[in-house]
Amino acid sequence: ALIVNILSFKLMNRLHSKRFCFCLFFLLTSSCGSVYRSMVFDPGVTPQPPDYSKADGWAVLPGIHPDFLEGFDKNLNDKNADVFYVYPTLFTDKKNSAWNADIGLSTVRDQVRQTAVKYQASSWLKSANLYVPFYRQAHYRIFVEAFSQQGAPAWEIAYQDVKNAFEYYLKNYNKGKPIIIAAHSQGSMHAKRLIKEFFDQKPLQDQLVAAYLIGTRILPDEFQSIEPLTSAEATGGFVSWNSYKMNKIPKNFESWFKGGVTTNPIRWDTQKHSVLREHQGVLNKDLVVYPNSVSIEVTNGVLWTSLPKIPGRFFLAWIKNYHFADINLFWKDIESNALLRVQSWYKKRKG
């Protein structure tokens, strides 16, 4: 699937000419066809692993967070639930032949906070204490067939970082609170495996509020005991979707989308359609939430989405794949839903 840095969404409203618009469109739609620099995986040049016992192993911890998060919620440290968030692929430079991101670089760390945390993870801030580990994610070219086998060890390194962070979180931070797993794209792929190893038919499933596995295909029978959630208040299962322009079909539909669970992220039930008046809001690049901006149609493996009614929407008309905005498009809907599911989790325990 096309994995696009969320910065692309921010840049669209800054374009001031058709020429710039065409260039952005070209970049967004040509990622899989361009030539990548690559090399045989060499563990000797793999970046140093994060130390999750130290604060600098985390992009966000309760009490240690970027200042901008206080603009979303003043109370960041005293929630009765936790969210463990795994960010999407940001390591996309075609000239960089490295296989894993170096999280010791300030540019890498800033990108995680200023893109994934600001425009995605912030959606869960009001419902739970936010934990975001840095991890040595695999380079985007691992999704390109010519490089996928070559990069397999890099993928394993990325997952082991996520796993190590989660184990440290469980041992040192969780203290029995209910847990939300939230992720996007590459992050969701790692989170899927995390759920299989830690939650599926395991005692920890009792603490699972919901897993938001967004931006990758999750099959209905992906897990043994964790099922798709089909109501807004349901807990203990997962939701998932892949956003695409209304009435368009991805070229790689058969291999990347077909058969995947497609949640209605506006109603959160089994309805196949939602209209503008039901939509709670897009988080735009200006950090303003625009409600009543999107209507959707649930199809096989794809969430058809209307052109968002936001400033600069003309430039979005050039884009078919809304993967880069899977969370932004439904930012307020996710925020409200996560709050509701946490409340529901506690009600079930009291009942």
Side-chain angles (χ1 to χ4, degrees), residues 206-310:
D206 291 338
Q207 288 177 240
L208 182 63
V209 175
Y212 292 78
L213 304 177
I214 303 165
T216 193
R217 179 171 63 178
I218 309 292
L219 298 174
D221 59 352
E222 192 77 51
F223 310 107
Q224 297 182 62
S225 62
I226 296 175
E227 299 179 351
L229 298 175
T230 56
S231 72
E233 297 183 1
T235 61
F238 73 93
V239 297
S240 183
W241 64 86
N242 288 280
S243 309
Y244 216 80
K245 190 174 184 179
M246 190 69 74
N247 298 320
K248 302 295 181 181
I249 301 294
K251 291 182 180 179
N252 52 357
F253 172 76
E254 293 287 334
S255 58
W256 281 91
F257 297 88
K258 185 177 180 180
V261 169
T262 305
T263 303
N264 182 328
I266 295 176
R267 295 179 55 96
W268 307 99
D269 58 16
T270 58
Q271 292 294 314
K272 299 296 184 183
H273 304 270
S274 288
V275 296
L276 289 176
R277 68 175 180 273
E278 297 174 302
H279 177 240
Q280 294 190 40
V282 174
L283 178 66
N284 196 27
K285 67 98 180 179
D286 54 10
L287 299 182
V288 173
V289 174
Y290 292 86
N292 311 128
S293 299
V294 168
S295 61
I296 61 97
E297 181 176 342
V298 174
T299 65
N300 180 5
V302 175
L303 184 70
W304 276 343
T305 307
S306 65
L307 184 65
K309 292 189 174 183
I310 58 174

Side-chain angles (χ1 to χ4, degrees), residues 4-46:
V4 181
N5 187 330
I6 199 68
L7 275 175
S8 300
F9 188 58
K10 296 167 64 181
L11 285 170
M12 279 186 285
N13 287 341
R14 299 179 186 176
L15 302 178
H16 298 292
S17 73
K18 291 183 179 180
R19 178 184 176 187
F20 279 9
C21 182
F22 175 79
C23 290
L24 175 62
F25 173 72
F26 177 79
L27 288 170
L28 290 174
T29 55
S30 62
S31 295
C32 295
S34 298
V35 175
Y36 289 86
R37 289 185 181 177
S38 193
M39 64 179 180
V40 175
F41 179 83
D42 179 359
V45 298
T46 300

Side-chain angles (χ1 to χ4, degrees), residues 23-230:
C23 290
L24 175 62
F25 173 72
F26 177 79
L27 288 170
L28 290 174
T29 55
S30 62
S31 295
C32 295
S34 298
V35 175
Y36 289 86
R37 289 185 181 177
S38 193
M39 64 179 180
V40 175
F41 179 83
D42 179 359
V45 298
T46 300
Q48 288 296 307
D51 183 349
Y52 295 115
S53 69
K54 298 180 180 179
D56 66 4
W58 301 81
V60 180
L61 286 171
I64 304 175
H65 54 263
D67 291 342
F68 63 73
L69 285 182
E70 295 181 12
F72 295 102
D73 184 20
K74 297 295 184 183
N75 176 22
L76 296 175
N77 309 319
D78 192 24
K79 306 293 197 310
N80 59 3
D82 293 338
V83 55
F84 187 87
Y85 166 80
V86 190
Y87 51 84
T89 306
L90 302 173
F91 188 28
T92 60
D93 184 358
K94 293 170 186 172
K95 296 180 180 180
N96 193 330
S97 63
W99 270 110
N100 292 95
D102 186 348
I103 59 172
L105 297 175
S106 60
T107 52
V108 172
R109 300 168 72 85
D110 289 346
Q111 187 181 35
V112 170
R113 292 187 173 114
Q114 291 295 329
T115 57
V117 170
K118 181 181 286 187
Y119 291 96
Q120 291 192 350
S122 57
S123 190
W124 288 274
L125 269 180
K126 288 189 176 180
S127 59
N129 305 304
L130 180 59
Y131 294 84
V132 183
F134 286 116
Y135 73 101
R136 293 169 295 172
Q137 64 174 219
H139 192 281
Y140 171 80
R141 69 184 183 278
I142 199 168
F143 298 105
V144 179
E145 187 174 356
F147 304 105
S148 59
Q149 292 301 313
Q150 187 183 56
W155 187 262
E156 188 65 21
I157 284 171
Y159 174 70
Q160 287 302 319
D161 281 357
V162 173
K163 179 180 178 179
N164 291 342
F166 189 69
E167 289 179 328
Y168 189 87
Y169 154 78
L170 285 178
K171 183 177 180 179
N172 296 278
Y173 296 129
N174 176 251
K175 305 185 188 307
K177 292 187 293 294
I179 301 168
I180 294 171
I181 299 294
H184 183 240
S185 196
Q186 179 175 160
S188 290
M189 296 177 187
H190 297 312
K192 176 176 68 174
R193 183 173 169 187
L194 197 75
I195 288 171
K196 289 180 178 180
E197 293 191 20
F198 287 87
F199 293 90
D200 199 11
Q201 293 192 317
K202 308 285 195 310
L204 196 60
Q205 184 175 350
D206 291 338
Q207 288 177 240
L208 182 63
V209 175
Y212 292 78
L213 304 177
I214 303 165
T216 193
R217 179 171 63 178
I218 309 292
L219 298 174
D221 59 352
E222 192 77 51
F223 310 107
Q224 297 182 62
S225 62
I226 296 175
E227 299 179 351
L229 298 175
T230 56

